[in-house]
Amino acid sequence: MQHGFRQKHSTISQLLLTVTDLGKYHDDDKQVDIGILDFSKAFDVVSHRKLLFKLQHYGINGKLSAWIKDFLIGRHQRVLVDGAASTSTLVHLGVPQGTCLGPILFLYYISDITTNVKSQIHLFADDALIYRPIFSVSDHHIVQNDFHTLEQWANIGYALQSL
């Protein structure tokens, strides 16, 4: 369901799928409940420990896993403004933005976000569009439960259920 950071998947592909679905529901005179979510600072709150666990879960082990661990752990950053630099500080969370590997690691980190979501969901980077046609009152409850599921996913640090 991810349309960000993937070849042939973009904001346009996400928009086309969504507009097609919504147009069909409109033609059938169906109500649609929609929610648009932005997981703020999502790249900055990625737990290195949980990301490494997920990578292992997906079969990334050995030297590649060790290399990624070295890429993430022990990273320092500082801010430079008008030639004045802050002191260097250790980065405990997050995937480096502006790198080729950062977005890929982020996708692995959030790859389980759609688990247990029953409504239609489209993702673009750290944004989510969730919607469901409403045929009965129970459909409202399903959408609401999906929002609770996404909230729980976010509150546990974007973790696999086995963590």
Side-chain angles (χ1 to χ4, degrees), residues 31-97:
Q31 174 184 331
V32 178
D33 283 1
I34 301 174
I36 301 172
L37 308 172
D38 177 15
F39 294 97
S40 63
K41 300 185 181 188
F43 279 78
D44 299 331
V45 297
V46 170
S47 162
H48 296 157
R49 181 183 61 80
K50 290 177 183 175
L51 173 58
L52 292 168
F53 176 86
K54 285 185 178 193
L55 292 173
Q56 182 181 19
H57 173 79
Y58 291 116
I60 298 174
N61 299 299
K63 289 182 181 180
L64 180 56
S65 177
W67 183 83
I68 293 171
K69 183 177 180 179
D70 287 343
F71 177 73
L72 294 171
I73 308 294
R75 181 178 290 274
H76 286 78
Q77 71 181 24
R78 64 184 182 157
V79 177
L80 182 65
V81 177
D82 293 331
S86 67
T87 58
S88 180
T89 189
L90 184 62
V91 177
H92 297 284
L93 297 170
V95 292
Q97 297 180 47

Side-chain angles (χ1 to χ4, degrees), residues 13 30 114:
S13 63
K30 295 295 177 201
T114 59

Side-chain angles (χ1 to χ4, degrees), residues 82-120:
D82 293 331
S86 67
T87 58
S88 180
T89 189
L90 184 62
V91 177
H92 297 284
L93 297 170
V95 292
Q97 297 180 47
T99 66
C100 294
L101 191 55
I104 294 167
L105 293 174
F106 181 75
L107 290 181
Y108 272 105
Y109 195 64
I110 66 163
S111 62
D112 59 338
I113 188 174
T114 59
T115 303
N116 299 320
V117 172
K118 293 176 177 52
S119 300
Q120 185 65 43

